[in-house]
Amino acid sequence: MRLEVGQARVLGREQDVVWTRSRRAEPRAWLVGLEWLVAAGLHEEAGPTTIEIAKDLAARMDFRRGIVVYDLEGTARRTGTSPATVKRHIRVMRELGALVWLIHGSKRNIAAPGEPYMATATIYGAVIPPVFDEAMGHRLTGTGYEARVCGVTEAGRERAVAQASARSEARDQGRRRTERQRPSGRRGAPARTGRPVDNVVVDNPRSQAREPHSLGRYHRAPAVQVDGGCKDTSRERAICPTAPRPSFKISYNPDGSRRTASQTRRGIGIIQQVRPRVTWTQRASSRELEVALRPRTNAGWDSQMIIEELHSWHLTWQPVNPAAYIRFRLAQQATAEHQVAAYEVAEGWDEQEASGPLAASRPELVRSVMHGLAEGIAAHSARQAQLGLDDLTDDSAAATMAAFLNSGTGAPA
């Protein structure tokens, strides 16, 4: 998607939080989006100074909501620019759709009588415009300032995979370059040179006739103590395996069978499709996520079903341990389902019986319900008669119900 300069310009009332089409963002994501907007050349006045002023705003923003006080004079002093320059680049950010007015400042004195002069401060909100989300392939839920990223399109997924591959390749190249530049030999040892060492004492051939160093405990090593007065190991003890064998963890399926390698590979394949599309899971490895999501993959869920469930949790924060959080939520759901099932069993609820006809297996219940209806209708008719209101029909509903109860249909078997 190629955009011309000024094509995505935001003007007029769309720079206000009530009418904006941009979504709210935290400082780090906001800076990434703003750098992209400047690099894309969507505004002819945007440049490096815009980024510097944006960094000053981001450093003072509320971390979660992206709210910041304007502070014109302080921003100019910290960035080494003039107030006019700060005003110009703040206007550029508003026209890019990256800043919205939350409160319009005013120089009108709002202080109470007797207090010093006090004006109203201008407060901005950090936002990301729709043009950035379209370019990145983001799928949004909601509109305007309260919109949120809920996933990515197919093009966005391919872009994210390509960027991750490029970063991985760059790290590998840097690692290989470092290994080529590292000197051979023991790590951390100084590199050897071809220059001979001037050591007259060692190179003197007459030193070969001298006596060696005297024996002594230079390292003050303690003497070895032998318990029991026996220095040899018995044959029985020598052939006995003293060290325990390493134990390997074996995974099992819910039915008790051992989990095979093909099942694990299938789970890893599903997780590799889930992980790029659910951002808060990317702190965990694919293996950790595969173990945490086994209740879903064992049940036959595919990647799209798992992605929709994780997005339905509506997380607005980043778990430190995503795998542990997923295990906790799934265990919570399983506990709730178990409690509902136990309650239904205790109440005698039968889904198959409840879905059948009312008088299928409980005729005494039907008769009791019909008696209650007959009494209620009779009471209602009496009340209507007291108020002087007539029924809409000439038939007596109570008499019809009594006739039904006295017939064979409503009688107990």
Side-chain angles (χ1 to χ4, degrees):
M1 181 180 64
R2 181 176 178 81
L3 296 173
E4 301 296 335
V5 175
Q7 182 177 349
R9 194 72 59 87
V10 177
L11 302 173
R13 68 179 187 178
E14 290 190 0
Q15 295 181 3
D16 193 272
V17 64
V18 178
W19 304 100
T20 184
R21 296 187 300 117
S22 303
R23 60 179 176 87
R24 185 177 65 187
E26 63 179 26
R28 291 178 299 183
W30 178 69
L31 278 179
V32 172
L34 183 63
E35 290 174 355
W36 183 89
L37 294 171
V38 173
L42 301 182
H43 200 293
E44 64 277 2
E45 298 183 40
T49 306
T50 309
I51 302 298
E52 291 300 321
I53 295 175
K55 289 180 178 178
D56 179 81
L57 295 178
R60 297 185 288 110
M61 280 182 181
D62 178 87
F63 181 75
R64 295 296 302 275
R65 297 176 296 171
I67 299 175
V68 62
V69 178
Y70 186 10
D71 189 16
L72 174 61
E73 300 295 335
T75 303
R77 182 178 63 256
R78 287 186 294 269
T79 57
T81 57
S82 64
T85 301
V86 174
K87 288 182 180 180
R88 183 170 65 255
H89 288 281
I90 291 293
R91 173 181 56 81
V92 169
M93 294 183 207
R94 291 200 310 267
E95 293 179 352
L96 285 173
L99 277 182
V100 293
W101 268 303
L102 297 180
I103 296 178
H104 291 266
S106 173
K107 293 184 178 180
R108 185 172 61 89
N109 187 11
I110 62 173
E115 295 182 354
Y117 169 78
M118 182 172 57
T120 305
T122 299
I123 299 179
Y124 283 112
V127 289
I128 294 178
V131 63
F132 175 80
D133 292 323
E134 293 175 5
M136 298 295 109
H138 293 164
R139 293 171 52 216
L140 303 181
T141 176
T143 58
Y145 186 69
E146 296 299 330
R148 290 292 176 269
V149 177
C150 64
V152 293
T153 61
E154 194 64 27
R157 185 184 64 81
E158 295 176 358
R159 179 187 180 93
V161 171
Q163 290 178 347
S165 301
R167 289 193 298 267
S168 178
E169 181 64 25
R171 286 195 299 267
D172 293 341
Q173 289 181 358
R175 190 181 301 111
R176 289 194 294 267
R177 190 181 303 112
T178 303
E179 290 176 355
R180 286 196 301 266
Q181 294 176 355
R182 183 181 300 163
S184 60
R186 183 169 57 87
R187 179 176 297 180
R192 296 182 178 180
T193 61
R195 184 173 57 86
V197 180
D198 186 11
N199 194 337
V200 180
V201 177
V202 175
D203 294 338
N204 188 359
R206 292 178 296 177
S207 63
Q208 299 177 1
R210 297 179 181 177
E211 294 292 335
H213 294 287
S214 59
L215 299 178
R217 293 186 179 179
Y218 295 100
H219 300 288
R220 301 184 181 274
V224 177
Q225 299 292 333
V226 179
D227 295 335
C230 180
K231 66 181 182 65
D232 295 327
T233 304
S234 64
R235 184 175 182 84
E236 291 78 12
R237 186 176 177 184
I239 62 176
C240 178
T242 57
R245 288 189 174 185
S247 60
F248 299 95
K249 185 176 180 180
I250 300 175
S251 299
Y252 293 93
N253 293 317
D255 58 357
S257 60
R258 287 187 59 174
R259 189 172 183 84
T260 62
S262 60
Q263 290 177 316
T264 303
R265 283 195 300 269
R266 177 183 173 276
I268 291 292
I270 293 176
I271 297 306
Q272 288 175 346
Q273 300 177 43
V274 172
R275 197 163 172 266
R277 301 178 64 181
V278 184
T279 55
W280 58 266
T281 65
Q282 295 173 7
R283 289 189 177 184
S285 64
S286 298
R287 178 62 175 172
E288 292 174 337
L289 294 176
E290 189 272 333
V291 174
L293 288 168
R294 277 182 184 176
R296 295 294 182 258
T297 55
N298 289 340
W301 287 35
D302 58 8
S303 60
Q304 187 62 33
M305 297 170 65
I306 295 176
I307 290 169
E308 291 176 358
E309 180 179 14
L310 296 182
H311 282 313
S312 69
W313 295 350
H314 300 292
L315 289 190
T316 58
W317 53 283
Q318 294 283 342
V320 177
N321 191 337
Y325 179 75
I326 291 173
R327 287 195 299 270
F328 167 74
R329 288 294 296 263
L330 295 183
Q332 215 175 30
Q333 293 178 10
T335 302
E337 293 172 358
H338 176 73
Q339 290 176 350
V340 171
Y343 178 77
E344 291 178 352
V345 171
E347 292 293 324
W349 177 264
D350 188 353
E351 185 70 25
Q352 185 175 4
E353 180 180 349
S355 61
L358 181 61
S361 60
R362 301 286 297 275
E364 67 281 359
L365 176 62
V366 175
R367 188 172 181 82
S368 175
V369 171
M370 300 301 282
H371 272 298
L373 289 174
E375 293 175 0
I377 292 174
H380 176 70
S381 299
R383 178 62 176 169
Q384 293 292 94
Q386 290 178 1
L387 296 175
L389 301 175
D390 298 331
D391 292 337
L392 297 179
T393 63
D394 296 333
D395 298 333
S396 174
T400 304
M401 188 66 66
F404 173 79
L405 292 173
N406 294 328
S407 64
T409 306

